[in-house]
Amino acid sequence: MQIHTKGKWMKSILYRLSIWILLMVIWLLLVSPLNTQEIISGAMIALLAALIPLPDRDVFRELLLTPKKAVYALLFTLVFLWEVVKSNLDVALRVIKPVIPINPGIVKVRTSLSSRMGRLALANAITLTPGTITVDIEGEYLYIHWISVEAGDIDEATKKIVSTFERYLEVIFG
């Protein structure tokens, strides 16, 4: 029984350390210019946030930081930013040139992501990409409002909207 308690304690420490590292990386990416005062205050705020007990933090336990996941997170960020740029240009052209047709509608797509954090990250990535908004998530299905529906079935819509992000999120969140 003592080993189980010690294992739980270690998991809790590793979980909180992972959260602290993630928050620090985000802080360091956002702060400019970087100086000692900013690093210390960021470290303290991130530590406080990592130590706050959350009521349903099981969803955050799905996030375990490894070098491979960190590389995929960086790749996902680059792919996501590229998709945002492409989508912004597409939406801007639709506004500037009204002859480009729009065909708005809600499409149902399927995700192979099994973790709740993975599905949440996918839904947010889709919503933050101009021209699409995640309306609802039901199990493995997401309902997306799409500015120009270009797919007739679930598989085709999934390929066009979800697959770009999913290959990275699968590695990051499992």
Side-chain angles (χ1 to χ4, degrees), residues 103-160:
N103 182 24
I106 296 179
V107 295
K108 183 178 181 180
V109 296
R110 181 183 302 116
T111 180
S112 62
L113 297 172
S114 58
S115 75
R116 294 181 291 170
M117 278 297 281
R119 283 181 268 162
L120 177 65
L122 176 63
N124 284 328
I126 290 169
T127 297
L128 291 170
T129 307
T132 54
I133 298 174
T134 305
V135 178
D136 195 12
I137 302 173
E138 287 182 0
E140 66 180 4
Y141 295 103
L142 285 81
Y143 294 89
I144 312 294
H145 181 273
W146 196 0
I147 195 170
S148 184
V149 176
E150 301 169 4
D153 65 351
I154 291 176
D155 294 329
E156 191 178 344
T158 298
K159 184 177 178 187
K160 288 186 177 275

Side-chain angles (χ1 to χ4, degrees), residues 162-174:
V162 174
S163 63
T164 305
F165 300 130
E166 212 172 34
R167 73 184 87 171
Y168 299 99
L169 294 174
E170 182 67 41
V171 175
I172 298 167
F173 296 106

Side-chain angles (χ1 to χ4, degrees), residues 14 16 40 43 56-57 78-79 84 112 142 150 171 174:
L14 289 174
R16 293 189 185 277
I40 292 171
D56 184 20
R57 65 177 189 241
L78 295 173
V79 168
V84 167
S112 62
L142 285 81
E150 301 169 4
V171 175

